[in-house]
Amino acid sequence: MQSQDAAPRPPVPATDPAAPPSAGPAQAEAALVEHYPRLVRIAHLVLPAGPARDRRVLTAHALVQRALPRGRTAAPAIPAQHRRAGRAAGARDGETGYALVRLQVVRTALEAALPLRRRAWPRRAQLPPLLPLVRGLRLFPRSGGADELALEKRLSALSAAARAAYVLRGLEDLADTEVREVLTAAGVTDAAGALREADGVPERYALLNSPSFDACSLQARPTDLLRRRQHTKAALAAAAALAVCGALVAVPGDGWGPDGAAAPAYALNPAAEAALDPARLVRVSPTAWELSARTDFSVWPARGELRDDKALLRRALAVWARPGERVRVSVTPGTPSGAPAGPPQLLYAGTVDNARVVILHDGLRIARYAEPASGTRGAALDLARTDGANGAESGALVLGRSDGNTRYLTAPWVTGAAERDLLRPGSGAMDLHPAHGVTTPLAGPGAQTGGCTSWNVLELTGSTGTQLLSDLGELVPARLTEGRPGAVRDVAGARARTAWAPYACSLATARSQGVRTVNLWPYATQQLPDGSGSADWVCTRAETWRGGGTRALAQFHTSGGAYGAVVAQSQDGPGCGPREPRVLAGVLWKSAAKSWYLLAAGSRDTTSVTTTGGVRASAQGSRLAVPAGQGARVTLRGTLSDGRRFDGLH
């Protein structure tokens, strides 16, 4: 439970100002193990980008694993006073062990970024890592979107010290004075200059937490299988020659052939070859949806001016089956990444902006293959799970993104497509003029790194009614609904859009999670204790295509406020969903007279609310409002009409 107004952070442990804090190996090891993914992310961001992405990942892990001190060492405490609002101060605040390990990681990452010099011994960080050791696989993070790629390009142009300054600012939330202290301790001679250089990169700090910079959540691809096979055979042949004085056996290799960016073939069987034959692609009649009992992706016709380009279709199928190491692959959580089991269905093949795009459907997944208009270098493959989609959830697919804009391919039953700003429910809709199912560019909601000023959504009209869909960074936009769980309805009309408006920006928390639908449930209204108005309580729940990974957010919005505030959340819990349509949440609220109150509200079947901890109180009914101390920590419990008790969201 969080305070809507600036509630105090947990206190930083006191230290003796006369003596610097120290950390022993045990304390540093505990900090390293607890915060290992974050430390690896820091090292990965500071290291220079290069063609060997897998070596950069392994080097980041090696630097963190070698960051333990050999004895008790002095280290500064991590400051907490400069944490940004909305991010809870973590357990790292005041932990000298974490500060020491982080300093060592930054120092060695800066050393690893130094160029090798002649007549000088290289430092250990500049050498290829001995451990961790991976053989036969290439490991690299998930491919990001256009925003992440643009940020990585800007960071790669900086010096290592400037990259470290940017990362310490954005990822660790340190003030400039603290960044200078860390850089100076890490051996940077001109820390102020590094900060000035980092000022030239836009403050897209939220992107630093993107999965594309997470060197702990990795994708695995084989190394060059054909070359490994050749080396193995050559070694066996050499051993046999030494034993029997025979001749070396030549191992031929046929290269990449007509499959473009695909890796060498490793499975040659009739079923696999049939699934990769462009002549066997399933093509649905343009009028099939009018007669079919189903309304989903299976009745989409094949569209696009390149739908008969067999060479393009062959490359798309081959890359789907075995993407090469230079192919950027993106897979939504819970989506299998293997080849289709049989010939897939062709939905689209055409030119989108400056790329050739192919979209395929195998009954379980949507696959989008894109390559530059000239050549195959820079090809990309995106996979998204779509099994069980209904008409409202299969109304559109992302064709391509460029310069923050998104083009969609709409379903054949869609008769109109428009752009709306969800933050301005009273504003008009801008027609996207779909031609042969392809819309004009729609300005995407973008990555919210500061104030959220707009959230554009796609409005579709057709035989399935009216739906609002939001781009959350994946192939299939998420369907927005509103209403009590079990009786939800599409967001259609000014009333429903007005209900969603204060909470639109919270959709940013659901990016790249494989979200299928997001429902808004206004479950309670409460009068404020100082008589200044009322507040609305809502619960937004994101359901995923895979079933797991659901997230429920309890939000609090006072009358006259621009945005709702997230005060509690639940991950993979049944609350606020159709299985358990109930919710209870609370917030510390400060009145205009600067008096603090504990406000809590439950769904309508709540008969009483009880609090324990920093505030002990109870109230009959589904609402509670009592005076409280600033920063009070409480636990909420509610009682249902049948006598059962349940906990509030945390």
Side-chain angles (χ1 to χ4, degrees):
M1 181 179 66
Q2 299 173 1
S3 162
Q4 186 199 20
D5 202 272
R9 305 298 181 191
V12 178
T15 59
D16 180 6
S22 61
Q27 184 180 2
E29 182 182 16
L32 187 151
V33 172
E34 182 180 1
H35 306 296
Y36 184 84
R38 191 171 191 86
L39 293 166
V40 172
R41 186 186 291 265
I42 292 173
H44 184 262
L45 286 165
V46 175
L47 288 170
R53 291 192 298 165
D54 55 335
R55 177 173 173 179
R56 182 184 177 190
V57 168
L58 295 178
T59 301
H61 282 270
L63 296 182
V64 175
Q65 293 175 15
R66 296 202 302 258
L68 286 179
R70 297 185 180 276
R72 180 164 293 274
T73 307
I78 296 177
Q81 61 270 29
H82 296 287
R83 298 282 178 192
R84 286 185 174 83
R87 288 186 58 183
R92 298 187 310 276
D93 293 344
E95 288 186 8
T96 57
Y98 177 79
L100 175 64
V101 174
R102 183 186 63 188
L103 174 61
Q104 181 65 13
V105 168
V106 173
R107 178 185 292 122
T108 54
L110 293 174
E111 292 176 356
L114 294 174
L116 293 173
R117 298 180 179 178
R118 292 184 177 181
R119 301 177 183 178
W121 287 101
R123 302 186 182 185
R124 184 180 181 186
Q126 296 176 280
L127 299 174
L130 298 177
L131 292 175
L133 179 63
V134 178
R135 297 182 64 86
L137 288 175
R138 295 184 182 272
L139 303 177
F140 47 89
R142 289 179 54 189
S143 298
D147 294 331
E148 287 86 352
L149 292 174
L151 177 60
E152 185 169 21
K153 184 177 180 181
R154 295 294 296 270
L155 291 178
S156 64
L158 299 178
S159 65
R163 279 196 304 273
Y166 189 90
V167 172
L168 292 172
R169 272 178 176 172
L171 195 62
E172 294 295 274
D173 290 342
L174 299 184
D176 285 359
T177 56
E178 296 153 355
V179 173
R180 279 194 293 269
E181 292 175 1
V182 175
L183 292 180
T184 302
V188 176
T189 56
D190 187 11
L195 283 167
R196 288 193 299 272
E197 185 181 355
D199 289 337
V201 179
E203 293 185 1
R204 309 296 298 276
Y205 294 147
L207 294 178
L208 297 179
N209 287 302
S210 168
S212 62
F213 299 124
D214 185 1
C216 287
S217 298
L218 302 172
Q219 298 182 100
R221 292 291 179 270
T223 55
D224 192 329
L225 301 179
L226 186 59
R227 181 176 297 176
R228 281 168 48 189
R229 183 182 299 170
Q230 290 174 335
H231 289 174
T232 302
K233 289 184 177 180
L236 293 175
L242 291 175
V244 299
C245 299
L248 293 175
V249 178
V251 182
D254 54 5
W256 281 44
D259 290 340
Y266 53 83
L268 298 177
N269 60 75
E273 291 181 338
L276 304 181
D277 185 354
R280 299 193 184 187
L281 284 173
V282 177
R283 300 170 185 256
V284 176
S285 166
T287 60
W289 68 272
E290 299 176 357
L291 306 175
S292 175
R294 301 178 60 175
T295 306
D296 55 20
F297 294 113
S298 67
V299 295
W300 278 34
R303 288 172 284 184
E305 74 278 10
L306 300 179
R307 60 184 179 272
D308 294 323
D309 188 336
K310 289 189 176 181
L312 172 63
L313 299 178
R314 182 181 300 278
R315 290 195 298 273
L317 290 168
V319 170
W320 185 359
R322 49 185 200 280
E325 61 184 20
R326 293 199 299 264
V327 177
R328 298 193 305 271
V329 181
S330 173
V331 183
T332 60
T335 302
S337 59
Q345 174 188 351
L346 176 63
L347 303 185
Y348 181 86
T351 302
V352 181
D353 296 326
N354 295 319
R356 292 188 292 261
V357 175
V358 178
I359 297 183
L360 304 165
H361 177 237
D362 68 350
L364 172 67
R365 301 163 295 174
I366 294 290
R368 176 185 177 274
Y369 170 78
E371 65 182 25
S374 58
T376 61
R377 188 176 184 85
L381 176 68
D382 301 306
L383 295 171
R385 184 171 175 174
T386 58
D387 50 315
N390 56 33
E393 297 163 348
S394 56
L397 291 171
V398 172
L399 266 183
R401 297 184 178 90
S402 178
D403 299 328
N405 299 319
T406 305
R407 288 185 187 269
Y408 291 94
L409 179 66
T410 60
W413 56 83
V414 171
T415 57
E419 173 185 331
R420 281 192 180 274
D421 186 353
L422 197 54
L423 283 181
R424 296 171 178 81
S427 62
M430 186 179 72
D431 192 355
L432 295 178
H433 306 289
H436 304 290
V438 180
T439 69
T440 55
L442 178 149
Q448 302 298 333
T449 59
C452 178
T453 58
S454 66
W455 194 275
N456 294 325
V457 294
L458 176 67
E459 183 180 68
L460 300 180
T461 56
S463 60
T464 59
T466 300
Q467 292 89 35
L468 282 189
L469 306 176
S470 180
D471 181 10
L472 297 181
E474 296 174 324
L475 279 179
V476 185
R479 174 191 177 194
L480 304 183
T481 60
E482 54 100 13
R484 182 179 176 84
V488 302
R489 51 194 174 273
D490 281 300
V491 180
R495 183 202 61 80
R497 294 195 300 270
T498 301
W500 251 106
Y503 316 104
C505 293
S506 67
L507 291 170
T509 64
R511 289 182 184 276
S512 303
Q513 301 298 316
V515 172
R516 182 174 190 166
T517 62
V518 184
N519 182 59
L520 174 79
W521 176 27
Y523 68 87
T525 299
Q526 184 176 26
Q527 295 299 315
L528 297 175
D530 65 348
S532 60
S534 62
D536 294 324
W537 292 87
V538 305
C539 185
T540 55
R541 181 179 172 91
E543 301 285 353
T544 66
W545 289 98
R546 63 190 183 278
T550 59
R551 176 180 294 182
L553 303 178
Q555 303 194 52
F556 178 80
H557 177 236
T558 56
S559 55
Y563 309 107
V566 176
V567 298
Q569 62 180 325
S570 173
Q571 187 80 20
D572 283 321
C576 193
R579 290 180 55 193
E580 292 186 6
R582 59 177 179 265
V583 63
L584 171 65
V587 65
L588 287 174
W589 177 78
K590 187 171 71 174
S591 68
K594 301 188 182 302
S595 298
W596 287 90
Y597 294 89
L598 171 63
L599 306 182
S603 46
R604 65 186 181 187
D605 54 351
T606 305
T607 58
S608 67
V609 179
T610 302
T611 72
T612 58
V615 178
R616 292 184 173 271
S618 62
Q620 294 299 311
S622 60
R623 298 165 183 81
L624 178 144
V626 294
Q630 183 180 2
R633 301 279 183 174
V634 302
T635 300
L636 295 175
R637 296 206 74 187
T639 304
L640 299 173
S641 54
D642 59 5
R644 289 182 297 159
R645 306 196 71 186
F646 68 103
D647 295 328
L649 292 184
H650 302 291

